[in-house]
Amino acid sequence: MTEKELRALLEDMSLREKIGQLTQLDASVFNDEGPVTGPASELGLNDDDAYLCGSVLGLTGAAETEALQKMCMAKQPHGIPLLLMADIINGYKTIFPIPLAQGCSFEPEAARKVAEIMAKESAAAGLHVTFAPMVDLVRDARWGRVMESTGEDPYLNSLMAAAMVEGIQGQENSYEDRLAACTKHFAAYGAPIAGKEYNNVELSERSLREDHLPSYKAAIDAGTAMMMTSFNTLDRVPATASKWLMRKILREEMGFNGVLISDWNAIGELIGHGVAQDPKSAAELAITAGVDMDMMSFSYACGLEKLVEEGTVSEQLIDESVWRLLQLKNQMGLFENPFRSASTQQESELILSAEHRLAAREVAAKTFVLLKNEDQLLPLEQDDSVAYIGPYIEEKSILGAWSFFGKTEDCVSIREAVEARGVQAEYAHGCGVLNPGQAIYGFRYDTESNLTEAETEKMIADAVALAANKTKVVIALGESNLQTGEGGSRGDITIPDIQKKLLEAIYAVNKNIVAVIFAGRPLDIRDIKDKTKSILYAWMPGTEGGSAIVDMLYGDTAPQGKLSMSLPYSVGQVPVFYSELRTGRHTEDGAEPTNRFLTKYCDIPNDPLYPFGFGLSYTDFSISPVRLSSDQLTLDTTVKAVATVKNIGNREGVETIQLYIRDEFASVARPLRELKGIKQVKLEPGQEAEVEFEIDTNMLRFYDINMEYKAQHGDFTVWIGNNSKTDNSVCFTLN
Ligand code: GLC
């Protein structure tokens, strides 16, 4: 449609039709019990209102979406097509590792590839938009949704956010055979107080700008078509009602001119926050703040018409929102072809294709983090006598908490992968994932361990007997998939007690233990660290998880992942992250244990168990001292920082070299160090390569005492290393 035709359409629409466009309903509203059920009807939403809605979420399938599109368009006064959206976060049917694991690849190209494949599969299934990428910065392992983020660092998150938007939307945001991206959750949903789900967020404006906004900005600069508001408050104002956040920051400062949708019932929840007394006043706050679409709160459908009629809200505001939505539908070609890429034939060709499964297996290998490997217990030899033990040996619920459209039966478990390899192995569950009788109430399904204590005792005894007769043990442990994701905040971030008991019993008879950990968050793994020689952190690895893990256990692939989020010593450290601010009494861990009057704990270490950026491989690398092209930088010059990396081991490997910078003196307190560059090198044994970073003043900018974003003259320290604790540094001065 031309812009002129689109304008004419907007002008011809009734107010009620416009408001319908701004309403998004879940597909369940259009189920066979009649279109409108539950709270919608209680709020006065009737069938006609439902058919006027501009967007539906949660429905996929070429045939199913086509049928719904036809039904709703037939009831639309101007036949305006629906915008069909769903949560495709780390895969549609071919499921990839959770985004937190993708962050551990430190390879934006890997994340882009995942986004491309998930977009193609779901576009063929009739979808138009995905509620992804989630780019919230996360530093609190208690929060269940850390699994959905790419981690604790603004620089890494920004690279990943841009790559994911590009993968989802395609080159030049053509959406061709892809989707539109809806980046979320604006803003800072990842910093809830105490890691408690939906909790309030208390951040300084400077921390919001320095730490949390960069990844949203990267998504906007990459062209994200939509943005979603977050549930939380910021400065005690619910984000969904915040004019400052949504109009001044998001639109004016960050330049976002796409469609802004609320999170699920987030407008309705303004009542819960105590800032609105009814749906109508909630609608007034949200539309005034600039929220274009109301996801499943019916506040717009039930309140906006009255607000316009009584003159409280101008129809102009509504027209602005409807115009942005019509433009998006037009950019996606929906007026010409409401069914876009939906195709049952394409579905059958693309979904879970061999190519996509291979990609899932390859990406998963990049996300595993080898935390320890004593006596080079890994990789295993083909003829090793191995006992495979633990609840995750056969567990297939390893897709991650936001993979509703993926099927566990399509997953490859560790056991299936070992059997496919044809190596000598025996298996024993040992125990369930959860403690006997423990129940977890999920988002779409519940689970509980129906094993009794007695049954579990027997399972442990069988596992011990097996372990005693084998030279090596691979034990696969972890938190339940349902202990992570939305509503998955945990105060105890260890594996279930029954699994600790199993490990204890196995350790008593065999010390050659490799642990493979499944988790949606950094766990407190001290128990596991003390009783194993090798630890491979596999996160929630997706459809080909078992295959990718076994490939790595036997050395077909080598670990290269680096932690995208610090692994805490204990939950008492949380939130723990490498780029902490300096203080008046900062101490490097271990220094002056007798001096209590320093920034530290008196009962646990300051440092995490494993730091951001850390990860081993099957070989070793040396990194030379840093060399600078000059130790003087000016506002319009650059300085090159170089180090020579050498593979000093006996296997090929990939090393991720990281550049960190510290501002030694500034008008506000600055972090101890900040990641400013990533380079990956693949080296054969004995091979070496020069890794070079170019430093310019843009990398040194920060929000100064006047909240101006600029660099300040003075001394800086630069590190080049393979994790955030590297001490390989030199200094330079910005003149
Ligand atoms: C949820 C989530 C959001 C998701 C939306 C639609 O509550 O917060 O990330 O996209 O609802 O499912």
Side-chain angles (χ1 to χ4, degrees):
M1 217 185 246
T2 65
E3 181 156 329
K4 189 163 174 260
E5 290 166 330
L6 211 58
R7 279 281 176 214
L9 168 62
L10 178 59
E11 278 155 27
D12 198 43
M13 289 166 72
S14 70
L15 176 58
R16 212 161 148 264
E17 197 182 350
K18 292 177 193 171
I19 293 167
Q21 282 298 305
L22 303 185
T23 298
Q24 180 178 75
L25 299 179
D26 186 70
S28 58
V29 167
F30 298 92
N31 61 24
D32 50 14
E33 280 111 54
V36 183
T37 55
S41 53
E42 284 151 27
L43 275 168
L45 196 67
N46 58 42
D47 293 11
D48 292 341
D49 295 323
Y51 287 117
L52 279 180
C53 81
S55 176
V56 168
L57 81 146
L59 183 72
T60 62
E64 296 80 352
T65 53
E66 201 161 313
L68 181 69
Q69 186 71 285
K70 280 180 183 160
M71 181 178 74
C72 288
M73 285 177 71
K75 303 235 181 197
Q76 283 276 346
H78 287 86
I80 298 174
L82 287 172
L83 189 68
L84 298 167
M85 302 177 69
D87 294 282
I88 312 296
I89 309 296
N90 47 297
Y92 171 54
K93 296 287 185 183
T94 307
I95 304 299
F96 291 80
I98 54 174
L100 190 61
Q102 292 180 44
C104 294
S105 71
F106 272 62
E107 198 177 305
E109 177 52 28
R112 197 198 57 73
K113 186 68 185 164
V114 171
E116 175 187 334
I117 289 176
M118 73 185 201
K120 286 181 173 175
E121 286 195 358
S122 41
L127 268 186
H128 304 153
V129 184
T130 176
F131 296 115
M134 187 273 218
V135 301
D136 306 327
L137 177 120
V138 293
R139 290 171 169 169
D140 192 322
R142 292 170 292 184
W143 191 46
R145 297 189 75 166
V146 299
M147 49 70 59
E148 218 177 325
S149 166
T150 50
E152 72 180 55
D153 181 70
Y155 175 83
L156 180 62
N157 287 353
S158 300
L159 294 177
M160 291 289 170
M164 289 173 167
V165 169
E166 286 158 12
I168 291 167
Q169 300 193 153
Q171 295 306 324
E172 307 305 317
N173 300 321
S174 63
Y175 311 130
E176 201 54 48
D177 79 355
R178 309 285 179 90
L179 302 176
C182 179
T183 299
K184 64 189 184 184
H185 307 80
F186 197 75
Y189 176 30
I193 293 171
K196 215 180 308 183
E197 185 57 282
Y198 313 123
N199 208 357
N200 294 299
V201 170
E202 290 287 355
L203 279 179
S204 68
E205 180 180 337
R206 190 166 278 109
S207 172
L208 174 70
R209 290 178 178 279
E210 294 275 5
D211 304 327
H212 295 267
L213 293 186
S215 51
Y216 303 109
K217 181 71 170 82
I220 292 166
D221 293 348
T224 183
M226 294 183 69
M227 191 70 80
M228 182 192 292
T229 71
S230 57
F231 289 122
N232 56 283
T233 60
L234 259 177
D235 197 17
R236 303 192 184 181
V237 178
T240 305
S242 172
K243 278 177 75 172
W244 176 77
L245 194 56
M246 299 304 168
R247 288 192 185 279
K248 183 175 184 314
I249 301 292
L250 179 62
R251 292 206 187 274
E252 288 170 30
E253 271 195 34
M254 300 173 80
F256 177 65
N257 54 23
V259 177
L260 178 62
I261 189 168
S262 76
D263 201 339
W264 182 290
N265 191 34
I267 297 175
E269 288 182 12
L270 297 179
I271 299 167
H273 281 292
V275 299
Q277 289 180 312
D278 52 39
K280 185 165 143 247
S281 56
E284 179 187 353
L285 286 172
I287 194 76
T288 306
V291 180
D292 296 320
M293 293 178 73
D294 171 6
M295 182 197 297
M296 276 303 278
S297 95
F298 324 114
S299 305
Y300 280 12
C302 299
L304 274 186
E305 196 164 8
K306 295 189 195 87
L307 287 164
V308 172
E309 283 161 1
E310 67 188 35
T312 310
V313 167
S314 83
E315 190 162 350
Q316 169 63 24
L317 265 192
I318 293 172
D319 287 354
E320 283 169 12
S321 294
V322 176
W323 176 246
R324 282 191 279 263
L325 177 59
L326 292 179
Q327 281 184 301
L328 176 57
K329 291 186 175 182
N330 200 36
Q331 283 156 13
M332 301 198 78
L334 290 178
F335 289 102
E336 288 72 31
N337 173 11
F339 312 113
R340 277 191 89 245
S341 310
S343 153
T344 48
Q345 198 236 325
Q346 273 290 82
E347 275 181 311
S348 57
E349 283 174 16
L350 287 175
I351 287 173
L352 287 163
S353 66
E355 180 195 345
H356 287 181
R357 276 187 175 270
L358 176 62
R361 189 166 178 166
E362 289 171 345
V363 169
K366 295 176 182 217
T367 67
F368 301 149
V369 183
L370 182 64
L371 296 174
K372 66 183 285 194
N373 192 23
E374 286 167 14
D375 305 345
Q376 296 303 302
L377 194 56
L378 286 177
L380 303 173
E381 298 301 330
Q382 297 294 336
D383 55 3
D384 272 342
S385 157
V386 181
Y388 283 88
I389 290 170
Y392 269 97
I393 290 297
E394 295 182 19
E395 178 60 56
K396 292 192 172 196
S397 185
I398 57 174
L399 301 177
W402 275 101
S403 306
F404 303 124
F405 301 106
K407 293 191 172 14
T408 51
E409 54 264 35
D410 294 327
C411 252
V412 180
S413 68
I414 289 178
R415 175 164 188 164
E416 286 168 335
V418 173
E419 287 170 340
R421 194 178 185 87
V423 290
Q424 281 306 312
E426 290 187 58
Y427 310 88
H429 258 162
C431 66
V433 172
L434 297 173
N435 302 320
Q438 183 180 4
I440 304 268
Y441 300 99
F443 201 179
R444 299 288 172 101
Y445 57 92
D446 301 341
T447 185
E448 63 182 292
S449 166
N450 49 19
L451 291 169
T452 64
E453 300 277 354
E455 286 167 332
T456 303
E457 287 305 318
K458 170 84 173 59
M459 289 166 70
I460 291 177
D462 293 347
V464 167
L466 176 64
N469 291 321
K470 295 288 183 182
T471 53
K472 296 180 182 179
V473 173
V474 171
I475 191 163
L477 307 169
E479 63 180 345
S480 159
N481 191 40
L482 276 178
Q483 288 180 297
T484 81
E486 184 169 354
S489 291
R490 296 181 65 198
D492 170 356
I493 55 172
T494 64
I495 59 175
D497 290 342
I498 193 65
Q499 295 185 36
K500 296 173 193 166
K501 188 175 174 182
L502 171 65
L503 175 57
E504 184 95 37
I506 299 299
Y507 182 68
V509 299
N510 194 318
K511 299 291 185 284
N512 287 327
I513 302 175
V514 174
V516 180
I517 310 290
F518 291 79
R521 60 165 45 85
L523 295 171
D524 167 356
I525 59 167
R526 279 174 293 158
D527 290 344
I528 299 169
K529 178 171 183 275
D530 297 342
K531 297 184 183 67
T532 58
K533 286 188 176 175
S534 301
I535 301 176
L536 190 68
Y537 216 90
W539 306 101
M540 290 292 173
T543 305
E544 287 290 332
S547 313
I549 288 166
V550 172
D551 290 345
M552 195 163 286
L553 292 178
Y554 286 92
D556 296 355
T557 58
Q560 64 180 72
K562 301 284 184 181
L563 289 175
S564 59
M565 191 174 173
S566 307
L567 218 69
Y569 175 85
S570 71
V571 72
Q573 276 187 344
V574 166
V576 59
F577 51 98
Y578 83 93
S579 55
E580 290 187 316
L581 293 186
R582 57 199 318 158
T583 72
R585 300 189 180 196
H586 212 93
T587 173
E588 292 305 318
D589 206 48
E592 303 178 66
T594 54
N595 180 350
R596 67 184 286 142
F597 303 105
L598 294 170
T599 305
K600 67 176 192 178
Y601 301 100
C602 61
D603 59 349
I604 62 171
N606 254 7
D607 279 348
L609 197 64
Y610 294 100
F612 172 85
F614 177 84
L616 302 175
S617 74
Y618 286 156
T619 186
D620 283 316
F621 296 93
S622 66
I623 301 174
S624 75
V626 183
R627 305 184 298 275
L628 292 179
S629 58
S630 163
D631 61 1
Q632 302 298 314
L633 178 68
T634 62
L635 289 178
D636 49 12
T637 63
T638 62
V639 162
K640 286 187 173 49
V642 183
T644 304
V645 184
K646 184 173 184 178
N647 182 338
I648 56 174
N650 54 19
R651 293 175 61 97
E652 177 189 87
V654 173
E655 182 58 297
T656 299
I657 302 299
Q658 303 149 46
L659 174 80
Y660 294 91
I661 295 179
R662 170 161 71 204
D663 189 343
E664 294 296 346
F665 174 76
S667 57
V668 296
R670 304 282 290 119
L672 284 166
R673 63 180 77 183
E674 295 173 287
L675 182 67
K676 294 293 181 183
I678 298 170
K679 292 265 172 86
Q680 285 184 326
V681 286
K682 185 173 189 175
L683 299 173
E684 295 292 335
Q687 198 182 2
E688 65 181 43
E690 280 207 348
V691 176
E692 179 180 295
F693 296 96
E694 192 153 25
I695 298 171
D696 63 24
T697 46
N698 282 332
M699 296 160 112
L700 312 180
R701 294 194 296 172
F702 67 101
Y703 286 91
D704 68 11
I705 193 67
N706 302 313
M707 207 57 90
E708 289 173 9
Y709 190 56
K710 58 186 187 185
Q712 181 171 321
H713 297 292
D715 295 339
F716 292 81
T717 301
V718 54
W719 291 263
I720 292 181
N722 58 8
N723 71 72
S724 59
K725 295 298 280 182
T726 178
D727 56 9
N728 188 29
S729 67
V730 288
C731 298
F732 68 90
T733 303
L734 172 62
N735 295 310

